[in-house]
PDB file of all heavy atoms in Angstrom:
ATOM      1  N   HIS A 206       1.977   6.897  -7.912  1.00 91.00           N
ATOM      2  CA  HIS A 206       2.484   7.787  -8.973  1.00 91.00           C
ATOM      3  C   HIS A 206       2.816   9.159  -8.422  1.00 91.00           C
ATOM      4  O   HIS A 206       3.167  10.065  -9.200  1.00 91.00           O
ATOM      5  CB  HIS A 206       1.442   7.900 -10.102  1.00 91.00           C
ATOM      6  CG  HIS A 206       1.324   6.678 -10.949  1.00 91.00           C
ATOM      7  ND1 HIS A 206       2.358   6.233 -11.768  1.00 91.00           N
ATOM      8  CD2 HIS A 206       0.315   5.778 -11.105  1.00 91.00           C
ATOM      9  CE1 HIS A 206       1.970   5.127 -12.389  1.00 91.00           C
ATOM     10  NE2 HIS A 206       0.748   4.830 -12.003  1.00 91.00           N
ATOM     11  N   GLU A 207       2.659   9.327  -7.107  1.00 92.00           N
ATOM     12  CA  GLU A 207       2.987  10.611  -6.476  1.00 92.00           C
ATOM     13  C   GLU A 207       4.489  10.699  -6.226  1.00 92.00           C
ATOM     14  O   GLU A 207       4.995  10.348  -5.161  1.00 92.00           O
ATOM     15  CB  GLU A 207       2.192  10.766  -5.163  1.00 92.00           C
ATOM     16  CG  GLU A 207       0.696  10.666  -5.313  1.00 92.00           C
ATOM     17  CD  GLU A 207       0.103  11.872  -6.020  1.00 92.00           C
ATOM     18  OE1 GLU A 207       0.771  12.923  -6.091  1.00 92.00           O
ATOM     19  OE2 GLU A 207      -1.028  11.761  -6.524  1.00 92.00           O
ATOM     20  N   ILE A 208       5.213  11.129  -7.240  1.00 93.00           N
ATOM     21  CA  ILE A 208       6.687  11.097  -7.192  1.00 93.00           C
ATOM     22  C   ILE A 208       7.238  11.996  -6.078  1.00 93.00           C
ATOM     23  O   ILE A 208       8.167  11.619  -5.363  1.00 93.00           O
ATOM     24  CB  ILE A 208       7.273  11.487  -8.556  1.00 93.00           C
ATOM     25  CG1 ILE A 208       6.815  10.487  -9.637  1.00 93.00           C
ATOM     26  CG2 ILE A 208       8.794  11.518  -8.489  1.00 93.00           C
ATOM     27  CD1 ILE A 208       7.195   9.058  -9.374  1.00 93.00           C
ATOM     28  N   ALA A 209       6.668  13.204  -5.925  1.00 92.00           N
ATOM     29  CA  ALA A 209       7.160  14.097  -4.881  1.00 92.00           C
ATOM     30  C   ALA A 209       6.957  13.477  -3.497  1.00 92.00           C
ATOM     31  O   ALA A 209       7.811  13.583  -2.615  1.00 92.00           O
ATOM     32  CB  ALA A 209       6.463  15.444  -4.981  1.00 92.00           C
ATOM     33  N   PHE A 210       5.810  12.837  -3.292  1.00 93.00           N
ATOM     34  CA  PHE A 210       5.550  12.184  -2.009  1.00 93.00           C
ATOM     35  C   PHE A 210       6.545  11.053  -1.774  1.00 93.00           C
ATOM     36  O   PHE A 210       7.101  10.922  -0.679  1.00 93.00           O
ATOM     37  CB  PHE A 210       4.118  11.641  -1.998  1.00 93.00           C
ATOM     38  CG  PHE A 210       3.741  10.947  -0.713  1.00 93.00           C
ATOM     39  CD1 PHE A 210       3.341  11.673   0.377  1.00 93.00           C
ATOM     40  CD2 PHE A 210       3.763   9.564  -0.623  1.00 93.00           C
ATOM     41  CE1 PHE A 210       2.984  11.062   1.585  1.00 93.00           C
ATOM     42  CE2 PHE A 210       3.413   8.922   0.554  1.00 93.00           C
ATOM     43  CZ  PHE A 210       3.027   9.670   1.652  1.00 93.00           C
ATOM     44  N   ALA A 211       6.770  10.230  -2.788  1.00 94.00           N
ATOM     45  CA  ALA A 211       7.740   9.141  -2.666  1.00 94.00           C
ATOM     46  C   ALA A 211       9.135   9.685  -2.340  1.00 94.00           C
ATOM     47  O   ALA A 211       9.854   9.120  -1.507  1.00 94.00           O
ATOM     48  CB  ALA A 211       7.772   8.324  -3.955  1.00 94.00           C
ATOM     49  N   ARG A 212       9.500  10.749  -2.957  1.00 93.00           N
ATOM     50  CA  ARG A 212      10.800  11.354  -2.745  1.00 93.00           C
ATOM     51  C   ARG A 212      10.960  11.877  -1.315  1.00 93.00           C
ATOM     52  O   ARG A 212      12.011  11.726  -0.665  1.00 93.00           O
ATOM     53  CB  ARG A 212      11.012  12.500  -3.740  1.00 93.00           C
ATOM     54  CG  ARG A 212      12.366  13.204  -3.643  1.00 93.00           C
ATOM     55  CD  ARG A 212      12.346  14.441  -4.535  1.00 93.00           C
ATOM     56  NE  ARG A 212      11.342  15.391  -4.059  1.00 93.00           N
ATOM     57  CZ  ARG A 212      10.753  16.293  -4.830  1.00 93.00           C
ATOM     58  NH1 ARG A 212      11.036  16.360  -6.109  1.00 93.00           N
ATOM     59  NH2 ARG A 212       9.865  17.131  -4.326  1.00 93.00           N
ATOM     60  N   ASP A 213       9.884  12.473  -0.768  1.00 94.00           N
ATOM     61  CA  ASP A 213       9.978  13.167   0.508  1.00 94.00           C
ATOM     62  C   ASP A 213       9.732  12.254   1.711  1.00 94.00           C
ATOM     63  O   ASP A 213      10.235  12.545   2.782  1.00 94.00           O
ATOM     64  CB  ASP A 213       8.978  14.328   0.553  1.00 94.00           C
ATOM     65  CG  ASP A 213       9.279  15.411  -0.465  1.00 94.00           C
ATOM     66  OD1 ASP A 213      10.439  15.473  -0.930  1.00 94.00           O
ATOM     67  OD2 ASP A 213       8.364  16.199  -0.807  1.00 94.00           O
ATOM     68  N   VAL A 214       8.980  11.190   1.547  1.00 94.00           N
ATOM     69  CA  VAL A 214       8.555  10.402   2.683  1.00 94.00           C
ATOM     70  C   VAL A 214       9.224   9.026   2.755  1.00 94.00           C
ATOM     71  O   VAL A 214       9.378   8.454   3.831  1.00 94.00           O
ATOM     72  CB  VAL A 214       7.006  10.242   2.678  1.00 94.00           C
ATOM     73  CG1 VAL A 214       6.523   9.327   3.803  1.00 94.00           C
ATOM     74  CG2 VAL A 214       6.341  11.604   2.769  1.00 94.00           C
ATOM     75  N   SER A 215       9.668   8.491   1.627  1.00 96.00           N
ATOM     76  CA  SER A 215      10.149   7.110   1.569  1.00 96.00           C
ATOM     77  C   SER A 215      11.496   6.932   2.221  1.00 96.00           C
ATOM     78  O   SER A 215      12.351   7.828   2.211  1.00 96.00           O
ATOM     79  CB  SER A 215      10.259   6.621   0.111  1.00 96.00           C
ATOM     80  OG  SER A 215       9.034   6.745  -0.549  1.00 96.00           O
ATOM     81  N   SER A 216      11.707   5.722   2.765  1.00 96.00           N
ATOM     82  CA  SER A 216      13.036   5.259   3.141  1.00 96.00           C
ATOM     83  C   SER A 216      13.768   4.719   1.888  1.00 96.00           C
ATOM     84  O   SER A 216      14.983   4.835   1.785  1.00 96.00           O
ATOM     85  CB  SER A 216      12.951   4.135   4.164  1.00 96.00           C
ATOM     86  OG  SER A 216      12.082   4.445   5.231  1.00 96.00           O
ATOM     87  N   ARG A 217      12.963   4.135   0.997  1.00 96.00           N
ATOM     88  CA  ARG A 217      13.516   3.476  -0.177  1.00 96.00           C
ATOM     89  C   ARG A 217      12.508   3.528  -1.299  1.00 96.00           C
ATOM     90  O   ARG A 217      11.293   3.542  -1.060  1.00 96.00           O
ATOM     91  CB  ARG A 217      13.839   2.018   0.187  1.00 96.00           C
ATOM     92  CG  ARG A 217      14.713   1.291  -0.822  1.00 96.00           C
ATOM     93  CD  ARG A 217      15.383   0.039  -0.225  1.00 96.00           C
ATOM     94  NE  ARG A 217      14.699  -0.561   0.889  1.00 96.00           N
ATOM     95  CZ  ARG A 217      14.350  -1.849   0.934  1.00 96.00           C
ATOM     96  NH1 ARG A 217      14.592  -2.638  -0.086  1.00 96.00           N
ATOM     97  NH2 ARG A 217      13.775  -2.347   2.001  1.00 96.00           N
ATOM     98  N   VAL A 218      13.016   3.560  -2.533  1.00 97.00           N
ATOM     99  CA  VAL A 218      12.150   3.569  -3.721  1.00 97.00           C
ATOM    100  C   VAL A 218      12.510   2.374  -4.567  1.00 97.00           C
ATOM    101  O   VAL A 218      13.692   2.062  -4.776  1.00 97.00           O
ATOM    102  CB  VAL A 218      12.303   4.868  -4.521  1.00 97.00           C
ATOM    103  CG1 VAL A 218      11.518   4.801  -5.818  1.00 97.00           C
ATOM    104  CG2 VAL A 218      11.862   6.079  -3.694  1.00 97.00           C
ATOM    105  N   VAL A 219      11.497   1.665  -5.077  1.00 97.00           N
ATOM    106  CA  VAL A 219      11.673   0.504  -5.964  1.00 97.00           C
ATOM    107  C   VAL A 219      10.983   0.823  -7.262  1.00 97.00           C
ATOM    108  O   VAL A 219       9.805   1.185  -7.294  1.00 97.00           O
ATOM    109  CB  VAL A 219      11.082  -0.757  -5.329  1.00 97.00           C
ATOM    110  CG1 VAL A 219      11.151  -1.925  -6.306  1.00 97.00           C
ATOM    111  CG2 VAL A 219      11.798  -1.123  -4.015  1.00 97.00           C
ATOM    112  N   PHE A 220      11.727   0.656  -8.365  1.00 97.00           N
ATOM    113  CA  PHE A 220      11.170   0.902  -9.685  1.00 97.00           C
ATOM    114  C   PHE A 220      10.976  -0.437 -10.397  1.00 97.00           C
ATOM    115  O   PHE A 220      11.889  -1.208 -10.604  1.00 97.00           O
ATOM    116  CB  PHE A 220      12.138   1.772 -10.510  1.00 97.00           C
ATOM    117  CG  PHE A 220      11.764   1.898 -11.966  1.00 97.00           C
ATOM    118  CD1 PHE A 220      10.519   2.394 -12.353  1.00 97.00           C
ATOM    119  CD2 PHE A 220      12.663   1.525 -12.965  1.00 97.00           C
ATOM    120  CE1 PHE A 220      10.188   2.505 -13.699  1.00 97.00           C
ATOM    121  CE2 PHE A 220      12.333   1.626 -14.317  1.00 97.00           C
ATOM    122  CZ  PHE A 220      11.095   2.136 -14.681  1.00 97.00           C
ATOM    123  N   PHE A 221       9.697  -0.718 -10.721  1.00 97.00           N
ATOM    124  CA  PHE A 221       9.334  -1.928 -11.445  1.00 97.00           C
ATOM    125  C   PHE A 221       9.289  -1.670 -12.936  1.00 97.00           C
ATOM    126  O   PHE A 221       8.797  -0.650 -13.374  1.00 97.00           O
ATOM    127  CB  PHE A 221       7.958  -2.432 -10.990  1.00 97.00           C
ATOM    128  CG  PHE A 221       7.985  -3.457  -9.880  1.00 97.00           C
ATOM    129  CD1 PHE A 221       8.356  -3.077  -8.600  1.00 97.00           C
ATOM    130  CD2 PHE A 221       7.629  -4.751 -10.113  1.00 97.00           C
ATOM    131  CE1 PHE A 221       8.374  -3.991  -7.593  1.00 97.00           C
ATOM    132  CE2 PHE A 221       7.643  -5.692  -9.099  1.00 97.00           C
ATOM    133  CZ  PHE A 221       8.019  -5.319  -7.823  1.00 97.00           C
ATOM    134  N   ASP A 222       9.795  -2.634 -13.713  1.00 96.00           N
ATOM    135  CA  ASP A 222       9.734  -2.546 -15.153  1.00 96.00           C
ATOM    136  C   ASP A 222       9.625  -3.948 -15.721  1.00 96.00           C
ATOM    137  O   ASP A 222      10.518  -4.786 -15.506  1.00 96.00           O
ATOM    138  CB  ASP A 222      10.984  -1.839 -15.709  1.00 96.00           C
ATOM    139  CG  ASP A 222      10.909  -1.635 -17.213  1.00 96.00           C
ATOM    140  OD1 ASP A 222       9.817  -1.323 -17.717  1.00 96.00           O
ATOM    141  OD2 ASP A 222      11.963  -1.802 -17.879  1.00 96.00           O
ATOM    142  N   LYS A 223       8.513  -4.226 -16.376  1.00 95.00           N
ATOM    143  CA  LYS A 223       8.274  -5.510 -17.042  1.00 95.00           C
ATOM    144  C   LYS A 223       8.502  -6.700 -16.100  1.00 95.00           C
ATOM    145  O   LYS A 223       9.117  -7.697 -16.435  1.00 95.00           O
ATOM    146  CB  LYS A 223       9.189  -5.637 -18.264  1.00 95.00           C
ATOM    147  CG  LYS A 223       8.907  -4.560 -19.320  1.00 95.00           C
ATOM    148  CD  LYS A 223       9.835  -4.679 -20.512  1.00 95.00           C
ATOM    149  CE  LYS A 223       9.556  -3.595 -21.532  1.00 95.00           C
ATOM    150  NZ  LYS A 223      10.486  -3.664 -22.690  1.00 95.00           N
ATOM    151  N   GLY A 224       7.952  -6.584 -14.899  1.00 96.00           N
ATOM    152  CA  GLY A 224       7.936  -7.723 -13.965  1.00 96.00           C
ATOM    153  C   GLY A 224       9.170  -7.916 -13.129  1.00 96.00           C
ATOM    154  O   GLY A 224       9.281  -8.915 -12.420  1.00 96.00           O
ATOM    155  N   VAL A 225      10.108  -6.972 -13.187  1.00 97.00           N
ATOM    156  CA  VAL A 225      11.319  -7.099 -12.366  1.00 97.00           C
ATOM    157  C   VAL A 225      11.578  -5.778 -11.668  1.00 97.00           C
ATOM    158  O   VAL A 225      11.071  -4.699 -12.057  1.00 97.00           O
ATOM    159  CB  VAL A 225      12.580  -7.470 -13.215  1.00 97.00           C
ATOM    160  CG1 VAL A 225      12.359  -8.795 -13.931  1.00 97.00           C
ATOM    161  CG2 VAL A 225      12.898  -6.365 -14.214  1.00 97.00           C
ATOM    162  N   MET A 226      12.370  -5.840 -10.582  1.00 96.00           N
ATOM    163  CA  MET A 226      12.808  -4.632  -9.902  1.00 96.00           C
ATOM    164  C   MET A 226      14.012  -4.107 -10.678  1.00 96.00           C
ATOM    165  O   MET A 226      15.123  -4.573 -10.491  1.00 96.00           O
ATOM    166  CB  MET A 226      13.157  -4.934  -8.448  1.00 96.00           C
ATOM    167  CG  MET A 226      11.940  -5.170  -7.569  1.00 96.00           C
ATOM    168  SD  MET A 226      12.376  -5.765  -5.906  1.00 96.00           S
ATOM    169  CE  MET A 226      13.679  -4.624  -5.458  1.00 96.00           C
ATOM    170  N   ALA A 227      13.780  -3.115 -11.534  1.00 95.00           N
ATOM    171  CA  ALA A 227      14.808  -2.622 -12.443  1.00 95.00           C
ATOM    172  C   ALA A 227      15.810  -1.693 -11.738  1.00 95.00           C
ATOM    173  O   ALA A 227      16.956  -1.569 -12.162  1.00 95.00           O
ATOM    174  CB  ALA A 227      14.183  -1.917 -13.629  1.00 95.00           C
ATOM    175  N   GLU A 228      15.346  -1.003 -10.684  1.00 96.00           N
ATOM    176  CA  GLU A 228      16.243  -0.126  -9.941  1.00 96.00           C
ATOM    177  C   GLU A 228      15.674   0.082  -8.547  1.00 96.00           C
ATOM    178  O   GLU A 228      14.440   0.210  -8.386  1.00 96.00           O
ATOM    179  CB  GLU A 228      16.402   1.224 -10.656  1.00 96.00           C
ATOM    180  CG  GLU A 228      17.506   2.094 -10.064  1.00 96.00           C
ATOM    181  CD  GLU A 228      17.887   3.282 -10.947  1.00 96.00           C
ATOM    182  OE1 GLU A 228      17.567   3.268 -12.153  1.00 96.00           O
ATOM    183  OE2 GLU A 228      18.488   4.228 -10.410  1.00 96.00           O
ATOM    184  N   THR A 229      16.507   0.139  -7.569  1.00 96.00           N
ATOM    185  CA  THR A 229      16.075   0.377  -6.180  1.00 96.00           C
ATOM    186  C   THR A 229      17.139   1.123  -5.436  1.00 96.00           C
ATOM    187  O   THR A 229      18.355   0.988  -5.755  1.00 96.00           O
ATOM    188  CB  THR A 229      15.713  -0.966  -5.462  1.00 96.00           C
ATOM    189  OG1 THR A 229      15.252  -0.673  -4.141  1.00 96.00           O
ATOM    190  CG2 THR A 229      16.939  -1.868  -5.355  1.00 96.00           C
ATOM    191  N   GLY A 230      16.752   1.919  -4.488  1.00 96.00           N
ATOM    192  CA  GLY A 230      17.718   2.693  -3.723  1.00 96.00           C
ATOM    193  C   GLY A 230      17.028   3.728  -2.871  1.00 96.00           C
ATOM    194  O   GLY A 230      15.804   3.721  -2.695  1.00 96.00           O
ATOM    195  N   SER A 231      17.784   4.665  -2.375  1.00 96.00           N
ATOM    196  CA  SER A 231      17.232   5.761  -1.594  1.00 96.00           C
ATOM    197  C   SER A 231      16.375   6.647  -2.477  1.00 96.00           C
ATOM    198  O   SER A 231      16.454   6.546  -3.725  1.00 96.00           O
ATOM    199  CB  SER A 231      18.362   6.579  -0.960  1.00 96.00           C
ATOM    200  OG  SER A 231      18.959   7.393  -1.959  1.00 96.00           O
ATOM    201  N   PRO A 232      15.564   7.517  -1.902  1.00 96.00           N
ATOM    202  CA  PRO A 232      14.765   8.429  -2.748  1.00 96.00           C
ATOM    203  C   PRO A 232      15.589   9.282  -3.688  1.00 96.00           C
ATOM    204  O   PRO A 232      15.049   9.886  -4.615  1.00 96.00           O
ATOM    205  CB  PRO A 232      14.031   9.288  -1.702  1.00 96.00           C
ATOM    206  CG  PRO A 232      13.933   8.430  -0.492  1.00 96.00           C
ATOM    207  CD  PRO A 232      15.213   7.645  -0.468  1.00 96.00           C
ATOM    208  N   ASP A 233      16.898   9.322  -3.499  1.00 95.00           N
ATOM    209  CA  ASP A 233      17.768  10.106  -4.358  1.00 95.00           C
ATOM    210  C   ASP A 233      17.730   9.601  -5.796  1.00 95.00           C
ATOM    211  O   ASP A 233      18.055  10.353  -6.728  1.00 95.00           O
ATOM    212  CB  ASP A 233      19.197  10.101  -3.842  1.00 95.00           C
ATOM    213  CG  ASP A 233      20.061  11.146  -4.499  1.00 95.00           C
ATOM    214  OD1 ASP A 233      19.671  12.327  -4.502  1.00 95.00           O
ATOM    215  OD2 ASP A 233      21.133  10.777  -5.033  1.00 95.00           O
ATOM    216  N   ILE A 234      17.343   8.340  -6.005  1.00 95.00           N
ATOM    217  CA  ILE A 234      17.272   7.834  -7.383  1.00 95.00           C
ATOM    218  C   ILE A 234      16.200   8.557  -8.190  1.00 95.00           C
ATOM    219  O   ILE A 234      16.224   8.527  -9.429  1.00 95.00           O
ATOM    220  CB  ILE A 234      17.040   6.314  -7.453  1.00 95.00           C
ATOM    221  CG1 ILE A 234      15.637   5.936  -6.977  1.00 95.00           C
ATOM    222  CG2 ILE A 234      18.101   5.557  -6.700  1.00 95.00           C
ATOM    223  CD1 ILE A 234      15.295   4.476  -7.218  1.00 95.00           C
ATOM    224  N   LEU A 235      15.272   9.236  -7.503  1.00 94.00           N
ATOM    225  CA  LEU A 235      14.261   9.995  -8.223  1.00 94.00           C
ATOM    226  C   LEU A 235      14.812  11.316  -8.721  1.00 94.00           C
ATOM    227  O   LEU A 235      14.244  11.930  -9.619  1.00 94.00           O
ATOM    228  CB  LEU A 235      13.061  10.264  -7.287  1.00 94.00           C
ATOM    229  CG  LEU A 235      12.323   9.001  -6.827  1.00 94.00           C
ATOM    230  CD1 LEU A 235      11.226   9.348  -5.833  1.00 94.00           C
ATOM    231  CD2 LEU A 235      11.761   8.237  -8.011  1.00 94.00           C
ATOM    232  N   ARG A 236      15.934  11.737  -8.150  1.00 92.00           N
ATOM    233  CA  ARG A 236      16.613  12.931  -8.647  1.00 92.00           C
ATOM    234  C   ARG A 236      17.717  12.554  -9.637  1.00 92.00           C
ATOM    235  O   ARG A 236      17.968  13.269 -10.607  1.00 92.00           O
ATOM    236  CB  ARG A 236      17.230  13.704  -7.498  1.00 92.00           C
ATOM    237  CG  ARG A 236      16.250  14.313  -6.514  1.00 92.00           C
ATOM    238  CD  ARG A 236      16.989  15.116  -5.446  1.00 92.00           C
ATOM    239  NE  ARG A 236      16.073  15.836  -4.566  1.00 92.00           N
ATOM    240  CZ  ARG A 236      15.571  15.326  -3.452  1.00 92.00           C
ATOM    241  NH1 ARG A 236      15.874  14.078  -3.106  1.00 92.00           N
ATOM    242  NH2 ARG A 236      14.765  16.030  -2.682  1.00 92.00           N
ATOM    243  N   HIS A 237      18.386  11.416  -9.369  1.00 93.00           N
ATOM    244  CA  HIS A 237      19.519  11.022 -10.185  1.00 93.00           C
ATOM    245  C   HIS A 237      19.375   9.534 -10.572  1.00 93.00           C
ATOM    246  O   HIS A 237      20.088   8.674 -10.031  1.00 93.00           O
ATOM    247  CB  HIS A 237      20.828  11.247  -9.409  1.00 93.00           C
ATOM    248  CG  HIS A 237      20.984  12.640  -8.909  1.00 93.00           C
ATOM    249  ND1 HIS A 237      21.191  13.718  -9.728  1.00 93.00           N
ATOM    250  CD2 HIS A 237      20.933  13.137  -7.643  1.00 93.00           C
ATOM    251  CE1 HIS A 237      21.274  14.830  -8.994  1.00 93.00           C
ATOM    252  NE2 HIS A 237      21.122  14.500  -7.732  1.00 93.00           N
TER     253      HIS A 237
END
Side-chain angles (χ1 to χ4, degrees):
H206 286 293
E207 302 290 341
I208 299 300
F210 180 81
R212 181 189 63 205
D213 295 341
V214 176
S215 303
S216 312
R217 194 161 25 126
V218 174
V219 174
F220 171 58
F221 267 70
D222 184 39
K223 298 179 180 178
V225 301
M226 286 171 47
E228 189 168 342
T229 182
S231 75
D233 194 53
I234 69 172
L235 298 175
R236 294 183 175 89
H237 307 290

